[in-house]
Amino acid sequence: MIRTRTRTVTTIVFAAVLAAALAGCGGSGTATPSPSTPSPTKSATPTPTPTPALVPTDTAAPANLPTDCNTLATPEVRQAAIGDLTLQSDGVGFIRPVPANATLVLGCDWIVGDSTGMLLLISTAAPADVAAAVTTLPGLGYECGVSDDFGADFCQLAGGGPDTEEMIVARDGMWIYLSTSNRNGRAFLSDIASGIWG
């Protein structure tokens, strides 16, 4: 009888200790909800960065570029200017005033005898480079102005002889250089310019 009572008391004590331990762990005994996994938030769609508008670049205006030394100007004017001259070269290698970054489009070097001839160099460049080059010409001895005949900047430089001169017509990204020796080339140059710009 004593053993049974001792076992019962032990069981009761054990149960009480266990209950106390469980009560200490569980707090109030109500289950604490586990923190819920947050639902993924929708990321904001990035606002596209506005692309700056393209600034138009300085480009040469459309022009009727001549491509053949033998078809420049009208037949009558060409005959009077160079009809008796012989085409010697394409003008490559001649050092003459020219805008920065210019491209030679057409070069014609006509000559007859020892001292008569014409050199024509037609180049293209950015209009800003053409305009800048014109401003340097007075420092090289050229007289410049706007010509009604060409509707463009016109610069001329008297040469060493009575019939020797250099002329430059600059407009819309175009640069026309003509030097003459013992030959008047003004009508020829005017006709070429008219053919390019109309």
Side-chain angles (χ1 to χ4, degrees):
M1 195 72 175
I2 294 174
R3 282 186 188 171
T4 304
R5 188 172 172 198
T6 303
R7 188 176 294 161
T8 302
V9 171
T10 304
T11 303
I12 291 172
V13 171
F14 177 74
V17 171
L18 182 61
L22 289 174
C25 291
S28 65
T30 56
T32 305
S34 62
S36 62
T37 306
S39 61
T41 57
K42 195 172 185 180
S43 60
T45 305
T47 306
T49 305
T51 305
L54 294 175
V55 178
T57 55
D58 238 357
T59 54
N64 299 314
L65 297 178
T67 58
D68 187 348
C69 297
N70 296 312
T71 59
L72 291 165
T74 59
E76 297 79 15
V77 172
R78 183 172 60 249
Q79 178 60 35
I82 59 170
D84 60 333
L85 303 180
T86 302
L87 185 62
Q88 297 290 314
S89 74
D90 59 6
V92 174
F94 283 91
I95 306 300
R96 297 293 187 271
V98 69
N101 305 309
T103 300
L104 181 65
V105 175
L106 181 65
C108 311
D109 178 29
W110 297 278
I111 194 168
V112 65
D114 294 331
S115 59
T116 302
M118 286 192 190
L119 172 65
L120 174 72
L121 304 172
I122 301 176
S123 304
T124 58
D129 289 337
V130 169
V134 169
T135 65
T136 68
L137 294 176
L140 300 175
Y142 286 81
E143 293 180 6
C144 296
V146 177
S147 170
D148 292 334
D149 188 23
F150 301 113
D153 288 312
F154 175 69
C155 300
Q156 58 184 337
L157 174 67
D163 294 319
T164 304
E165 67 178 338
E166 297 179 33
M167 296 171 282
I168 293 173
V169 177
R171 174 182 166 187
D172 299 335
M174 297 283 301
W175 184 270
I176 306 173
Y177 170 92
L178 179 67
S179 66
T180 62
S181 177
N182 297 313
R183 186 62 53 99
N184 188 334
R186 291 190 177 226
F188 188 47
L189 181 59
S190 179
D191 223 32
I192 292 170
S194 296
I196 292 174
W197 290 295

